[in-house]
């Protein structure tokens, strides 16, 4: 989602063919490879389900996700070509590593809240950076934060504390890096 927002707002110097290449690279590294790794981990018995409810089962997926983001920011989404996206993914890496560290202390963070809160902060930053009015999108994302939190509570997937931890991991990492590209 962050990539699509970035490519939509940054129409000035990126041609359509380059947008497609960026989108495909990010799609492969952040969606297709993780799905394949999920099936591999599930077949190996390292995780039980897509929800990864056990804190101990989150370590390997979070570590693999960290490596995938490192590959992305080192090889594809570099600071000199796409600084806004680069810092977004660095924020995602920071959040993921913090969630990984917390898992060693048997503390679970809501990865859903991490994702939606970091996206919300990124969209706010993009709208400030490109000086575009994104009021409806920002309001929608803030509502989505509440919807995600409510659904996680309703499903009994997380406690309120785990949701707050996830929200803070996602938003604070993005806020800290916002200064570098804004």
């Amino acid at each position: 989602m962050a990539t699509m927002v970035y490519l939509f707002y940054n129409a000035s110097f990126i041609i359509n063919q380059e947008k497609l290449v960026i989108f495909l690279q990010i799609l492969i590294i952040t969606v297709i490879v993780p799905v394949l790794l999920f099936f591999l981990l599930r077949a190996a018995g390292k995780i039980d389900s897509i929800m990864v409810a056990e804190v101990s089962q989150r370590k390997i997926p979070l570590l693999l996700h960290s490596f995938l983001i490192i590959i992305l920011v080192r090889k594809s989404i570099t600071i000199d070509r796409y600084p806004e996206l680069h810092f977004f993914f660095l924020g995602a890496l920071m959040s993921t590593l913090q969630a990984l560290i917390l898992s060693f202390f048997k503390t679970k963070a809501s990865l859903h809240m991490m994702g939606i809160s970091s996206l919300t902060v990124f969209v706010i930053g993009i709208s400030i950076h490109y000086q575009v009015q994104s009021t409806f999108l920002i309001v929608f994302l803030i509502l989505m934060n509440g919807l995600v939190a409510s659904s996680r509570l309703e499903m009994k997937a997380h406690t309120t504390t785990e949701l707050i931890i996830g929200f803070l991991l996602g938003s604070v990492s993005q806020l800290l890096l916002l200064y570098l590209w804004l």
Side-chain angles (χ1 to χ4, degrees), residues 140-161:
F140 173 75
L141 287 172
I142 291 170
L143 290 173
M144 288 305 296
N145 274 270
L147 206 68
V148 167
S150 298
S151 71
R152 304 308 289 160
L153 286 172
E154 182 66 28
M155 292 175 63
K156 296 184 182 4
H158 291 289
T159 64
T160 304
T161 305

Side-chain angles (χ1 to χ4, degrees), residues 31-52:
V31 177
I32 295 172
V33 172
V35 167
L36 294 174
L37 289 172
F38 162 74
F39 286 121
L40 181 67
L41 289 172
R42 190 165 175 202
K46 298 294 181 187
I47 56 176
D48 293 335
S49 71
I50 191 84
M51 299 310 260
V52 193

